[in-house]
Amino acid sequence: MAIEDIIVETPDVKTFRLIFQERKIRRHFSFKAGQFGKYSVFGEGESTFYLASSPTWEGYLECSVRRASKVAEAFHKLGVGDRIGFRGPYGNGFPLPELTGKNLILIGSGIGIVPLRSLIWNCLDFRESFGKITILYGAERVADLVYKRELREWESRRDINLIRTVDPGGEEPGWDGRVGFVPMIMREIDLLPEKSWVITCGPPVMIKFVIEGLISLGFSPERIITTLEMKIRCGLGKCGRCNIGKHYVCQDGPVFTYAQIGEFPNEF
């Protein structure tokens, strides 16, 4: 694939727009929101990143890379016109048919917004097929908020309720969002369990407290969806390092309901 465009999202996150070199693949490539790919920076290695664009956007795909590994560091040094390798898509993705017709609550933090962004745009392209859409997104600092231009666009829409927040001390002059940790802010907004599904992605500690809060508010474990991508290693089910009991996160996941996670063995 060739890099067609690069957007600097934060001091350590860039979004790369990629196009397939072969026209046939470019026309017919498809994937689901929540799936991931394996990206190669030639001479440096291969790593796993989510597909960040909507499946409805044709002719290209996007991935957002945080500079947190050798491959990611090499990715950040590439420029427009440079080429990379790509394998995928892999993983199960979000269950869009089950979400259709429901109220959606999307809760993310930091780089965890990446798979949610794919799902959000996918849903917005079929907006009439979904109920209320609420997005709660936070980061440690204002500078760490990814997709700032899209946050502004979502905030201006009447058919989305967007709540932005930063951790205490992460605000800066002119900040007009909330201040507080995502699980804490979640408890301050009016979330109704009825007819609502929650999709949450972010640091494990955030997910832990978000899910605890959701359960206390009466949300069903079957309607809480999260991702376990932090356990993925090879991404192909070969290394065995992501297995939980009989499940391989890279093949059976990375998307699971909290009810499914509750059935995992105690070792998890």
Side-chain angles (χ1 to χ4, degrees):
M1 305 187 78
I3 297 173
E4 187 180 60
D5 193 18
I6 301 172
I7 298 171
V8 178
E9 305 282 5
T10 77
D12 63 353
V13 176
K14 289 182 178 179
T15 295
F16 296 83
R17 177 170 292 188
L18 308 168
I19 57 172
F20 289 102
Q21 296 302 286
E22 295 185 29
R23 290 186 178 181
K24 184 177 180 180
I25 297 177
R26 196 183 309 166
R27 285 199 303 270
H28 299 294
F29 179 79
S30 64
F31 65 97
K32 296 191 293 185
Q35 289 189 296
F36 61 89
K38 294 187 69 68
Y39 303 77
S40 299
V41 178
F42 302 123
E44 298 293 342
E46 186 180 52
S47 191
T48 299
F49 302 108
Y50 275 113
L51 298 162
S53 46
S54 170
T56 54
W57 300 350
E58 298 179 352
Y60 67 92
L61 61 84
E62 292 179 340
C63 70
S64 297
V65 178
R66 183 165 67 96
R67 200 164 51 199
S69 68
K70 175 187 173 185
V71 174
E73 186 73 36
F75 218 133
H76 271 240
K77 293 178 181 176
L78 299 177
V80 172
D82 286 338
R83 298 190 178 191
I84 65 160
F86 174 81
R87 293 192 286 169
Y90 298 114
N92 57 352
F94 295 113
L96 200 62
E98 294 181 34
L99 301 178
T100 301
K102 311 297 192 308
N103 297 327
L104 304 183
I105 302 167
L106 302 106
I107 303 175
S109 178
I111 194 69
I113 190 68
V114 173
L116 298 182
R117 180 219 193 199
S118 177
L119 179 62
I120 290 168
W121 281 118
N122 197 170
C123 294
L124 292 179
D125 285 335
F126 302 99
R127 183 64 187 90
E128 69 282 0
S129 298
F130 300 91
K132 296 179 180 177
I133 295 180
T134 301
I135 303 170
L136 170 57
Y137 175 53
E140 182 177 354
R141 305 172 304 162
V142 174
D144 298 322
L145 291 166
V146 185
Y147 308 133
K148 292 182 180 65
R149 67 197 183 287
E150 291 167 64
L151 294 177
R152 288 193 291 272
E153 179 177 344
W154 295 340
E155 193 166 35
S156 69
R157 294 178 62 139
R158 294 184 177 182
D159 58 355
I160 297 176
N161 179 26
L162 172 69
I163 302 102
R164 298 169 293 128
T165 185
V166 294
D167 293 351
E171 67 271 32
E172 58 186 39
W175 170 247
D176 58 355
R178 302 284 193 98
V179 177
F181 300 109
V182 168
M184 181 184 72
I185 299 298
M186 183 191 74
R187 290 176 178 273
E188 296 176 357
I189 58 180
D190 189 22
L191 298 180
L192 300 177
E194 296 79 15
K195 298 183 180 180
S196 296
W197 284 64
V198 180
I199 306 96
T200 183
C201 188
V205 66
M206 184 216 75
I207 293 175
K208 169 183 165 61
F209 287 109
V210 163
I211 290 179
E212 286 182 0
L214 292 169
I215 295 298
S216 70
L217 291 171
F219 282 83
S220 165
E222 287 78 11
R223 293 186 176 183
I224 300 173
I225 296 172
T226 189
T227 60
L228 300 180
E229 82 284 348
M230 78 292 290
K231 292 190 68 66
I232 294 176
R233 295 298 180 267
C234 75
L236 304 172
K238 302 296 185 184
C239 72
R241 295 173 64 189
C242 72
N243 70 301
I244 306 171
K246 64 180 182 181
H247 300 285
Y248 284 80
V249 172
C250 65
Q251 295 192 315
D252 301 318
V255 176
F256 296 95
T257 65
Y258 187 54
Q260 290 173 308
I261 293 175
E263 296 176 352
F264 287 170
N266 291 333
E267 65 191 59
F268 178 68

